[in-house]
Amino acid sequence: MSASGRHAVVTGGGSGVGAAIAHALSGAGAAVTVIGRDEAKLAAQGLPYEVCDVTDAAALRRALDRAIAARGPIAIAVANAGAATSGPLAKAAPEDLDAMLGVNLYGVFHLWQAVLSDMTGAGWGRLIAVASTAGLKGYAYAAPYCAAKHAAVGLTRALAQELGRTGITVNALCPGFVDTPLLDASLDTIRAATGKDRATAIADLVASNPQKRLIHTDEVASAALWLCSDGAAAVNGHALSLSGGEV
Ligand SMILES: NC(=O)c1ccc[n+]([C@@H]2O[C@H](COP(=O)([O-])OP(=O)(O)OC[C@H]3O[C@@H](n4cnc5c(N)ncnc54)[C@H](OP(=O)(O)O)[C@@H]3O)[C@@H](O)[C@H]2O)c1
């Protein structure tokens, strides 16, 4: 397993998908640093952490420098931090789009740009974005989020072309609806707008998934672990759908 002995950074590692990926990488022998804004959530993971907002490139640089000083050059960078808003486009302000692009696109851009020299220096690296099926298809009432996730997939595909000869692979994971705190917030919005109970709101969300179920965080973590393996060295520029066949 290629994660063993390597320094892996996971943004948004204090909860949900990011926490599952961080623990999977740690279990595979990586030295993991989790990054997020809420220190209590990060500390609860029991892994080394840095408190930082990934939309702030300079703050992220400082956080990564501290992590590198403690655990060495970064070989695996999982840009997982993300947020989602919902609502009709007619009611969205430009600031709503800025917010979605800030964390879901710029957060990926800043992280990957900051770790590139470590990876090119080593001749090995894994850049992984946790995008979404919203990066591959449109969903109603989620235009700013879909736009930002599509942009993250575009960034992935372009950088994979650019880094093809460096030993670094660049891929996006695109889960459908995952059972996490982010989904809980979306369900609250849907329930407030429609009056539906939680089970009905979930059934509506998974209606277009042939498996009719939420995705588990562990399923996203296993895909991330696989992308870090030597066996996945030829997998580059993919946007891997983890959606039961929805897309
Ligand atoms: N849940 C789903 O249905 C679903 C589906 C497809 C894709 N995804 C994607 O999966 C990723 C993880 O989401 P999740 O579902 O696991 O939700 P989550 O538990 O809310 O995780 C998001 C994490 O990102 C961190 N974060 C948000 N903004 C940040 C910022 N500006 N700087 C640093 N950290 C920030 C949050 O921590 P702090 O608030 O403490 O900073 C949080 O730990 C996201 O990119 C999301 O878009 C989720």
Side-chain angles (χ1 to χ4, degrees):
M1 165 48 63
S2 314
S4 183
R6 300 190 191 272
H7 185 184
V9 167
V10 182
T11 65
S15 62
V17 171
I21 293 175
H23 287 290
L25 287 168
S26 175
V32 178
T33 304
V34 288
I35 289 179
R37 295 167 301 178
D38 181 335
E39 181 162 13
K41 274 172 31 184
L42 296 170
Q45 300 308 318
L47 294 168
Y49 63 85
E50 294 291 340
V51 178
C52 166
D53 185 328
V54 297
T55 67
D56 180 341
L60 181 59
R61 176 73 269 167
R62 290 192 295 275
L64 292 171
D65 285 344
R66 290 191 296 271
I68 290 166
R71 283 170 291 288
I74 292 161
I76 297 166
V78 184
N80 162 83
T85 54
S86 56
L89 183 73
K91 290 190 178 168
E95 293 75 17
D96 297 324
L97 181 59
D98 286 343
M100 288 297 95
L101 292 172
V103 64
N104 295 303
L105 175 62
Y106 281 87
V108 183
F109 177 90
H110 294 325
L111 177 70
W112 287 358
Q113 198 171 53
V115 300
L116 260 187
S117 63
D118 278 5
M119 294 185 182
T120 49
W124 193 95
R126 294 289 187 267
L127 297 173
I128 300 172
V130 178
S132 168
T133 46
L136 302 172
K137 62 176 266 193
Y139 288 93
Y141 307 116
Y145 181 69
C146 285
K149 290 297 192 184
H150 272 71
V153 168
L155 181 70
T156 300
R157 289 176 172 149
L159 193 58
Q161 297 294 317
E162 191 174 317
L163 299 180
R165 294 171 64 86
T166 61
I168 303 167
T169 65
V170 193
N171 292 286
L173 296 175
C174 297
F177 294 100
V178 192
D179 195 2
T180 69
L182 184 144
L183 183 76
D184 285 337
S186 300
L187 286 171
D188 288 346
T189 307
I190 293 167
R191 293 179 63 194
T194 63
K196 290 176 180 171
D197 62 26
R198 183 181 158 85
T200 308
I202 291 175
D204 286 355
L205 288 181
V206 301
S208 52
N209 173 347
Q211 296 180 341
K212 308 292 179 209
R213 67 172 179 87
L214 296 174
I215 309 302
H216 303 299
T217 56
D218 287 351
E219 294 175 298
V220 188
S222 350
L225 211 51
W226 171 67
L227 286 176
C228 293
S229 69
D230 285 331
V235 180
N236 191 30
H238 267 275
L240 184 63
S241 169
L242 304 171
S243 66
E246 178 183 349
V247 57

